[in-house]
Amino acid sequence: MIRLDQSVFRHFPTANFLRKISILLVTLPLLTSATSKLVVARESAIAPYEIGLWGDLPYSQEQEVGVTRLIDDMNAQNLAFTVHNGDLKAGSNSLCDNALYAKALDYFNALKAPAAFTPGDNDWTDCDRPSNGAYNSLERLDYERQVFFNTKFTLGQRRLAQTVQNSPLCLGVNGPVPCVENRRWTVGRVTYATLNIQGSCNNLCDTAPNPEEYTARNIANIAWMKETFQVAKERKSAAVMLISQANPGWDLSDPTRAPLRDPKTLVQTDGQPDGFKDFLLALRTEAIAFRKPIAYVHGDSHYYRIDKPFLDAQGRRLENFTRVETFGNNQANGTNDVQWLKVTVNSRSREVFSYQPQIVPSNRVAVPAPTPYGF
């Protein structure tokens, strides 16, 4: 028989000790319940985890139904967090009223996992189009900042703390404001950041271009991107993932979906105002210096793909850089592209990120989902 040294309990009168233990046992579950919605347990440095990426949704009432199913599908999986890369509605013939943002907030908060978001041009830049209500686009961006970015936490039923770009480098209706939509966070050994980079020439074309707003935000985005790589180096991150809305165009291969640019000089060649060259030049420099895997996630052109379109000044492919474009609107086919992308993040693997498109069974259009047993 093992005999316990009675001196272990010498300083704890039995009744008092038992009373304290009882209080502790009752209190701990309450503390856990109170904090579980605010903080997501940090993944260990080596444990793989999964995240969900989506965007450019919903563009129609039919797609709103599809988004509800998509959210249910995400909630059925154990995701560390999700990110919507902008465009909460169609670019034309849809109002940018307050109800739009309230509905989107409900979507994000229906997600069990922390839900990050970066604005899209349809959410604010294009709101000055007459068919969208002829709003002041900067006022709409200010409103988005108020609705979605009023704390340092993500949205979602569980919330993840983020670092916020609080310097007043961006513009609002009344002058300089913090770029609170630009966020950064680290899970495990991977650093993530969102950047407010927009389609429609990044606010340099369309109904009411605003070069002053673009210039301020572009400087802020470049600074945030550079700082993200510096933080990743300091934390010895195994990889970086950047998320924005716009497809900036990477080369001369895709005239139907993106701006055309010389892949070596990164100069846009299609005659449209270039809202991306300076950012891409800075990004290329950082990507080469970082050397480790980089995923650049965007939407905008509504074409799911994963490729390596980024070249150096000599025309050589940047092997560590991967472009990831999420599924997005395809109004002509209803819920056909109301899908999402699951990314497995494993900092012990050489490429860190691996990708698996998630086709929501009830959102299939062209080919019905199989029966449970294949009959």
Side-chain angles (χ1 to χ4, degrees):
M1 178 183 295
I2 299 174
R3 300 182 65 86
L4 294 177
D5 186 347
Q6 295 298 317
S7 64
V8 171
F9 301 102
R10 188 170 297 158
H11 300 292
F12 298 97
T14 303
N16 187 46
F17 178 65
L18 292 175
R19 182 177 62 84
K20 290 181 178 179
I21 289 293
S22 298
I23 292 173
L24 183 63
L25 290 173
V26 170
T27 305
L28 276 175
L30 297 176
L31 290 173
T32 302
S33 174
T35 59
S36 62
K37 293 184 179 180
L38 295 178
V39 181
V40 178
R42 212 174 252 280
E43 305 287 341
S44 75
I46 60 173
Y49 57 91
E50 295 171 336
I51 65 175
L53 303 176
W54 62 306
D56 294 281
L57 294 169
Y59 273 42
S60 66
Q61 289 185 342
E62 186 176 6
Q63 288 183 2
E64 289 179 11
V65 176
V67 163
T68 300
R69 299 171 185 151
L70 183 153
I71 289 171
D72 288 342
D73 201 53
M74 281 188 173
N75 283 343
Q77 307 201 36
N78 183 25
L79 302 176
F81 62 85
T82 69
V83 188
H84 186 292
N85 56 25
D87 275 9
L88 301 170
K89 68 175 193 66
S92 300
N93 302 311
S94 54
L95 291 178
C96 293
D97 57 8
N98 291 358
L100 165 71
Y101 309 107
K103 185 180 294 183
L105 187 64
D106 287 342
Y107 290 142
F108 296 139
N109 285 333
L111 285 159
K112 293 179 181 178
F117 168 63
T118 188
D121 51 308
N122 293 3
D123 311 335
W124 69 277
T125 303
D126 301 336
C127 288
D128 50 23
R129 294 175 180 173
S131 65
N132 291 336
Y135 290 87
N136 180 313
S137 59
L138 277 185
E139 185 278 329
R140 292 290 79 185
L141 179 56
D142 280 347
Y143 189 73
E144 281 198 280
R145 288 167 174 153
Q146 186 180 15
V147 171
F148 300 115
F149 307 108
N150 55 33
T151 75
K152 69 175 184 178
F153 294 99
T154 62
L155 306 167
Q157 294 176 20
R158 290 182 291 135
R159 297 192 293 165
L160 176 66
Q162 300 172 305
T163 302
V164 182
Q165 189 177 29
N166 282 317
S167 301
L169 298 175
C170 289
L171 287 182
V173 171
N174 298 315
V177 295
C179 312
V180 292
E181 65 272 23
N182 285 352
R183 302 285 173 118
R184 181 170 54 247
W185 63 100
T186 297
V187 177
R189 295 185 56 230
V190 176
T191 297
Y192 302 85
T194 54
L195 298 151
N196 188 349
I197 302 175
Q198 297 308 314
S200 301
C201 313
N202 210 4
N203 209 13
L204 285 180
C205 64
D206 211 279
T207 303
N210 190 334
E212 184 180 12
E213 186 283 327
Y214 156 78
T215 299
R217 182 169 42 81
N218 189 52
I219 290 171
N221 283 329
I222 291 173
W224 192 241
M225 181 267 296
K226 289 182 175 180
E227 185 178 311
T228 295
F229 280 104
Q230 183 59 39
V231 168
K233 291 173 185 175
E234 292 171 356
R235 293 179 176 173
K236 295 181 171 54
S237 291
V240 165
M241 178 178 283
L242 304 175
I243 307 104
S244 70
Q245 163 59 201
N247 180 354
W250 307 91
D251 53 28
L252 299 168
S253 68
D254 195 9
T256 63
R257 295 184 181 275
L260 293 178
R261 67 182 64 252
D262 184 318
K264 295 181 181 180
T265 65
L266 297 177
V267 172
Q268 193 162 322
T269 63
D270 56 13
Q272 293 296 312
D274 190 349
F276 309 107
K277 184 194 72 173
D278 292 342
F279 177 83
L280 290 175
L281 286 168
L283 174 61
R284 184 163 69 180
T285 298
E286 294 293 333
I288 293 170
F290 186 62
R291 300 176 65 176
K292 300 174 184 179
I294 299 163
Y296 192 93
V297 180
H298 69 76
D300 193 24
S301 43
H302 309 163
Y303 190 78
Y304 166 66
R305 53 188 155 182
I306 299 170
D307 60 7
K308 292 185 175 292
F310 214 8
L311 307 184
D312 71 6
Q314 298 180 55
R316 300 173 300 185
R317 198 167 310 283
L318 301 189
E319 296 94 340
N320 65 324
F321 185 94
T322 302
R323 179 262 294 275
V324 179
E325 182 167 0
T326 54
F327 290 96
N329 166 59
N330 187 347
Q331 286 191 81
N333 291 319
T335 60
N336 192 221
D337 284 330
V338 183
Q339 319 295 352
W340 61 285
L341 178 64
K342 181 166 67 176
V343 184
T344 299
V345 184
N346 183 356
S347 61
R348 292 180 293 178
S349 69
R350 184 174 63 194
E351 302 300 327
V352 181
F353 304 114
S354 57
Y355 306 93
Q356 185 181 53
Q358 298 295 294
I359 307 303
V360 181
S362 52
N363 285 347
R364 290 172 63 151
V365 174
V367 181
T371 57
Y373 299 101
F375 302 132

